[in-house]
Amino acid sequence: MREIIVLAMITLDGVMQGPGGSKEDSSEGFKYGGWVAPYGDEVYGKVVKKELKPAEYLLGRRTFEIWENYWPEHANIWPGINEGKKYVYSKTRKKTNWKNTVFIKSPADIKKIKNSEGSDIHVWGSSKLVQLLLKNDLVDVLRLKIHPLLLGKGKKLFDNGAVPTSFKLTESIVTPGGVIIACYKRLEKVKTAKLKKKEK
């Protein structure tokens, strides 16, 4: 079974929309695209470089449409992005000119891929897809870059539909700019404290 690894840049209030550039995703009137830029440094860069290792990818439609217009011409920045298989969750798209792309349309399709042979599957961006994965208990690892700012509005990593699940912190580092980079691996369902019975 392959692991599904969610890689996300988020703010303290969980916003993950448009981290890379001002025009990356301005949907719903989002005005803060490119909010990651002030936090770039050598430590941050080394982590990102490690995360860009060849893999297979699971993407939501909107993230895919941003990617397909950029990465095919910039593979020198992300080695292997064109060769890696890209699974795109969409109920409207069925084809693209970007090689190694497969369109899927249901959680059952994702489960089938997860249970197949192959490398781990990386999920970048794709807020609605990540929420769907959490709702269906399909996330094995969360790799989060938590930035020290609040944006108030924007697409968020978490909503109220996730299956209650506990995670173990397996790796963490704080960059000079104050970004907490943490890796969490899925453990089990949430355990809660049990009240002691009163003595009679």
Side-chain angles (χ1 to χ4, degrees):
M1 180 182 293
R2 305 200 260 176
E3 289 191 332
I4 292 180
I5 302 171
V6 171
L7 304 99
M9 303 170 185
I10 63 173
T11 63
L12 292 174
D13 53 346
V15 174
M16 60 184 295
Q17 185 170 354
S22 59
K23 298 181 180 179
E24 182 179 358
D25 183 0
S26 59
S27 61
E28 301 176 18
F30 188 68
K31 301 177 181 179
Y32 302 102
W35 49 267
V36 162
Y39 301 96
D41 53 44
E42 185 177 355
V43 174
Y44 197 110
K46 285 181 178 179
V47 171
V48 171
K49 185 176 181 180
K50 181 180 177 182
E51 291 177 343
L52 296 183
K53 65 182 181 180
E56 294 192 4
Y57 309 92
L58 175 60
L59 307 168
R61 178 190 59 80
R62 189 171 189 86
T63 296
F64 173 74
E65 289 178 346
I66 293 170
W67 281 31
E68 72 174 332
N69 291 320
Y70 183 83
W71 286 118
E73 305 301 324
H74 297 84
N76 59 310
I77 301 173
W78 194 339
I81 188 61
N82 288 325
E83 288 70 31
K85 184 171 285 187
K86 294 161 281 288
Y87 299 99
V88 182
Y89 187 88
S90 174
K91 296 182 180 179
T92 56
R93 288 288 300 268
K94 295 182 179 179
K95 60 181 181 179
T96 179
N97 291 326
W98 197 7
K99 63 182 181 180
N100 298 321
T101 298
V102 177
F103 291 94
I104 58 176
K105 58 183 179 180
S106 72
D109 291 334
I110 298 173
K111 291 177 182 178
K112 185 176 180 179
I113 295 166
K114 180 175 169 57
N115 290 324
S116 66
E117 295 292 328
S119 61
D120 291 336
I121 302 162
H122 290 188
V123 183
W124 290 84
S126 311
S127 59
K128 294 296 183 183
L129 174 60
V130 172
Q131 292 171 7
L132 178 71
L133 294 172
L134 291 168
K135 183 178 180 180
N136 286 274
D137 200 18
L138 290 171
V139 174
D140 298 291
V141 177
L142 290 166
R143 291 192 59 88
L144 306 180
K145 300 180 189 67
I146 307 165
H147 297 71
L149 77 161
L150 303 173
L151 293 180
K153 295 182 179 180
K155 297 175 182 177
K156 297 193 173 184
L157 179 64
F158 303 107
D159 67 357
N160 292 323
V163 171
T165 310
S166 63
F167 286 78
K168 177 182 179 181
L169 180 67
T170 59
E171 179 184 344
S172 66
I173 188 172
V174 180
T175 72
V179 179
I180 299 171
I181 302 177
C183 182
Y184 298 92
K185 188 171 180 63
R186 184 189 184 285
L187 287 179
E188 55 195 11
K189 297 293 186 289
V190 175
K191 295 179 180 179
T192 58
K194 295 181 179 179
L195 295 176
K196 294 182 179 180
K197 294 182 179 180
K198 293 182 178 180
E199 294 183 3
K200 295 182 179 180

